[in-house]
Amino acid sequence: MLKFTAEHEWLKIDGDVATVGITTHAAEQLGDLVFVELPDVGTSFDKGGDAATVESVKAASDVYSPLDGEIVEVNQAIVDDPSLVNSDPQGAGWFFKLKLKNTADADGLLDEAAYKELVG
Amino acid sequence: MSTARKRQRWAGARAPEDWRAPLNVASDLKKTPLHDLNVSLGARMVPFAGYEMPVQFPAGVLKEHLHTRAAAGLFDVSHMGQVIARARSGDNADAARALESLVPVDVAGLPEGRQRYALFTAEDGGILDDLMIANRGDHFFVVVNAACKEADLAHMQERIGDSCEVTMLADRALIALQGPRAEPVLAELWADIAGMRFMDVRACDLHDADCIVSRSGYTGEDGFEISIPADQAEKVCRHLLDHPDVMPIGLGARDSLRLEAGLCLYGNDINTTTTPVEAALEWAIQKVRRTGGDRAGGFPGADVILGQFASGAARRRVGLKVDGKAPVRPPAKLYSDADGKTEIGHVTSGGFGPSIEGPIAMGYVPVALSAPGTPLFAEVRGKYLPVTVAALPFVPNTFKR
């Protein structure tokens, strides 16, 4: 199940674990990333909490936790090579896997059609 | 999200809630003569100093930066103020004398066809703006920062208006062509360009437009800054962009280029609270204006600034090389210890240097901690990251002296 947030994150939900990244649109808006900071495995976040940081040449931006949950895995590859997020944001450029506190919360997120409408 | 850290969502300088909206809707931002060209080239436009300016083009900041260092980058800097100071007496030496009452710089000794970096100083030794002054023979041509230009004009008119007619040129664009291919590109239009040295200024025709060209810039690269009549600027730029070596460059790369070159951004690295000596800009104050010189003093704040030449300032602007990969951005605090106990200064510019391939910054530290190699710590998101004081510039300049 693929879901999106209005804050330009995508979630691929498999059971109670969501793989989370930023959308193609977000990656384009941010421009070339030069630094990514990911949370520690085991950290819990509330929805909207600052889970990761990305930096372009120009600016730093936060990546929010899209739902309540606990980090169970992070993608070290984007820390080693932040340009992966630009080249494949919705694939190899994923950020972290979040074990959802309540899987039903995902129903409140946007589906792909609704997100596409949002970004035009 | 902490606003104190100047963090932002995806859209660069624009707020998250409005970045989908076209920027020119209900906006009172001014446009440069190259606005339509910038938009047609796919620029992302942002507000800057009251203007709608291109922060980046489709190539993106990284490629734009590296292209400028490798070939030639074209910058629209028409938001900057272009000011003429002409002596009412008709004698340009009188205009030089008047300007020397505003800047701690040798203007009287600046030959016709030469340009020099200068600072408008305040009575307390602070810096009101930094600028370029060119001797154009029968007048001086002054280029000032966009955000300061109205204040600079008022300052000049008030202080030297009796002896000089001071006018802002509203009908001219200003572009910069920077990088190792800038000279060959311009030489195809005007053969004499190759004879110009760093800081030379000449009038010339480029595609039948009356231009003023100086061999200078804000990137650390060899290059040129060109003042063009507003109504011909787009034509000249389109011709330059037709050249395969030339790419349009936005303010994002302009900032990373000047940071690598160790050049100050007014409002960040220098302002009314920093003196030229604190800012490590002693080189901009020629000996003739220093104590013991023929025309020593006589500029605002001379007692403070010349006093600092004699006895030193307490703090100094330095370069900072960040040991890890995380960019350190202003206004990150600097500490002498890894636990954040002793705060000693702060970062005034910082980010990722694409040519350095790593994070770099500039900031103010106590003189005792200003020697290259001094280990310090910068606070980023609650952590104290090791940084090292580094000599400026980070990237050697390639000026044609």
Side-chain angles (χ1 to χ4, degrees):
Chain A
M1 183 169 55
L2 191 60
K3 289 285 191 179
F4 294 85
T5 72
E7 286 77 36
H8 309 285
E9 283 128 3
W10 57 265
L11 299 83
K12 195 173 151 210
I13 301 169
D14 189 4
D16 64 350
V17 173
T19 304
V20 178
I22 66 172
T23 64
T24 303
H25 175 79
E28 282 169 3
Q29 289 292 319
L30 282 164
D32 305 308
L33 295 186
V34 297
F35 178 74
V36 176
E37 191 168 73
L38 294 172
D40 293 331
V41 170
T43 313
S44 290
F45 289 100
D46 293 335
K47 179 179 177 170
D50 292 349
T53 299
V54 292
E55 303 216 19
S56 65
V57 178
K58 301 197 309 287
S61 306
D62 295 313
V63 177
Y64 301 138
S65 182
L67 291 171
D68 295 354
E70 181 190 331
I71 304 293
V72 292
E73 192 179 341
V74 297
N75 185 9
Q76 181 64 29
I78 64 169
V79 175
D80 297 338
D81 180 10
S83 73
L84 260 185
V85 179
N86 295 105
S87 58
D88 192 9
Q90 296 190 199
W94 63 277
F95 276 57
F96 51 80
K97 293 186 182 179
L98 188 69
K99 187 165 194 286
L100 302 179
K101 195 170 165 189
N102 184 354
T103 51
D105 290 347
D107 297 342
L109 299 174
L110 304 170
D111 62 20
E112 190 160 11
Y115 179 72
K116 278 194 169 145
E117 193 166 322
L118 178 73
V119 297
Chain B
M1 189 159 74
S2 161
T3 51
R5 280 184 271 139
K6 285 193 176 171
R7 311 293 294 285
Q8 20 190 299
R9 289 302 272 180
W10 319 123
R14 279 187 270 169
E17 53 280 2
D18 70 357
W19 59 257
R20 287 175 55 235
L23 198 115
N24 51 7
V25 171
S27 154
D28 54 3
L29 294 171
K30 289 180 274 190
K31 295 181 168 74
T32 75
L34 296 168
H35 176 270
D36 292 350
L37 175 63
N38 290 326
V39 170
S40 76
L41 294 168
R44 186 188 300 171
M45 305 297 285
V46 299
F48 184 83
Y51 283 81
E52 200 179 321
M53 296 299 292
V55 66
Q56 67 177 71
F57 290 86
V61 178
L62 271 183
K63 286 198 184 71
E64 292 171 28
H65 177 113
L66 296 172
H67 182 88
T68 303
R69 294 246 184 268
L74 181 68
F75 302 74
D76 176 14
V77 288
S78 305
H79 56 316
M80 299 184 79
Q82 302 180 61
V83 179
I84 295 282
R86 193 184 296 272
R88 295 187 189 281
S89 67
D91 182 353
N92 207 32
D94 291 337
R97 233 184 318 276
L99 286 166
E100 285 200 351
S101 72
L102 302 179
V103 300
V105 167
D106 179 7
V107 183
L110 185 65
E112 181 175 346
R114 293 287 292 164
Q115 173 175 283
R116 181 164 275 166
Y117 179 74
L119 305 156
F120 285 135
T121 50
E123 300 300 339
D124 64 0
I127 300 171
L128 301 173
D129 197 5
D130 63 344
L131 59 144
M132 286 289 187
I133 298 179
N135 184 342
R136 300 274 298 121
D138 60 353
H139 66 275
F140 285 89
F141 178 55
V142 177
V143 177
V144 299
N145 281 301
C148 303
K149 67 183 182 182
E150 299 302 336
D152 289 341
L153 181 68
H155 179 64
M156 292 173 76
Q157 285 173 337
E158 185 192 320
R159 303 289 285 261
I160 64 170
D162 286 347
S163 60
C164 293
E165 192 186 335
V166 181
T167 326
M168 180 99 71
L169 301 179
D171 57 350
R172 294 186 78 87
L174 190 67
I175 62 169
L177 188 69
Q178 301 279 295
R181 298 294 298 162
E183 181 193 292
V185 167
L186 280 175
E188 292 178 18
L189 307 181
W190 189 52
D192 292 357
I193 206 100
M196 291 179 71
R197 289 182 301 134
F198 183 59
M199 292 291 196
D200 276 352
V201 182
R202 300 278 182 276
C204 75
D205 270 11
L206 298 179
H207 292 289
D208 297 324
D210 285 332
C211 296
I212 303 164
V213 179
S214 67
R215 192 156 201 165
S216 55
Y218 193 49
T219 61
E221 295 297 320
D222 180 32
F224 301 86
E225 293 172 296
I226 309 170
S227 170
I228 313 173
D231 58 357
Q232 302 192 72
E234 181 170 335
K235 175 187 73 177
V236 172
C237 287
R238 282 194 187 279
H239 280 293
L240 291 172
L241 289 164
D242 280 343
H243 197 290
D245 287 344
V246 179
M247 179 186 273
I249 311 294
L251 293 181
R254 182 169 164 83
D255 192 51
S256 56
L257 287 159
R258 71 90 198 165
L259 175 60
E260 284 184 344
L263 298 169
C264 291
L265 172 62
Y266 189 82
N268 277 42
D269 307 298
I270 49 175
N271 58 38
T272 54
T273 73
T274 63
T275 70
V277 175
E278 290 172 341
L281 296 173
E282 292 98 332
W283 57 268
I285 303 178
Q286 288 74 30
K287 286 214 168 76
V288 71
R289 305 300 309 276
R290 300 186 195 175
T291 305
D294 282 351
R295 299 191 309 285
F299 51 87
D303 49 342
V304 174
I305 294 165
L306 296 182
Q308 290 186 344
F309 265 101
S311 49
R315 60 176 188 158
R316 190 163 184 83
R317 177 178 62 96
V318 295
L320 298 165
K321 204 87 175 261
V322 182
D323 291 4
K325 287 169 76 177
V328 175
R329 302 183 189 276
K333 289 176 180 168
L334 294 167
Y335 298 85
S336 58
D337 65 288
D339 304 314
K341 290 198 175 74
T342 312
E343 186 180 334
I344 51 115
H346 70 283
V347 167
T348 52
S349 281
F352 181 83
S355 302
I356 303 286
E357 298 183 328
I360 48 173
M362 296 196 290
Y364 282 82
V365 300
V367 167
L369 297 173
S370 67
T374 306
L376 300 171
F377 297 86
E379 184 179 0
V380 176
R381 293 184 285 276
K383 293 175 188 157
Y384 301 98
L385 307 180
V387 302
T388 307
V389 175
L392 294 173
F394 297 103
V395 171
N397 68 55
T398 57
F399 305 143
K400 294 282 160 65
R401 293 191 190 271

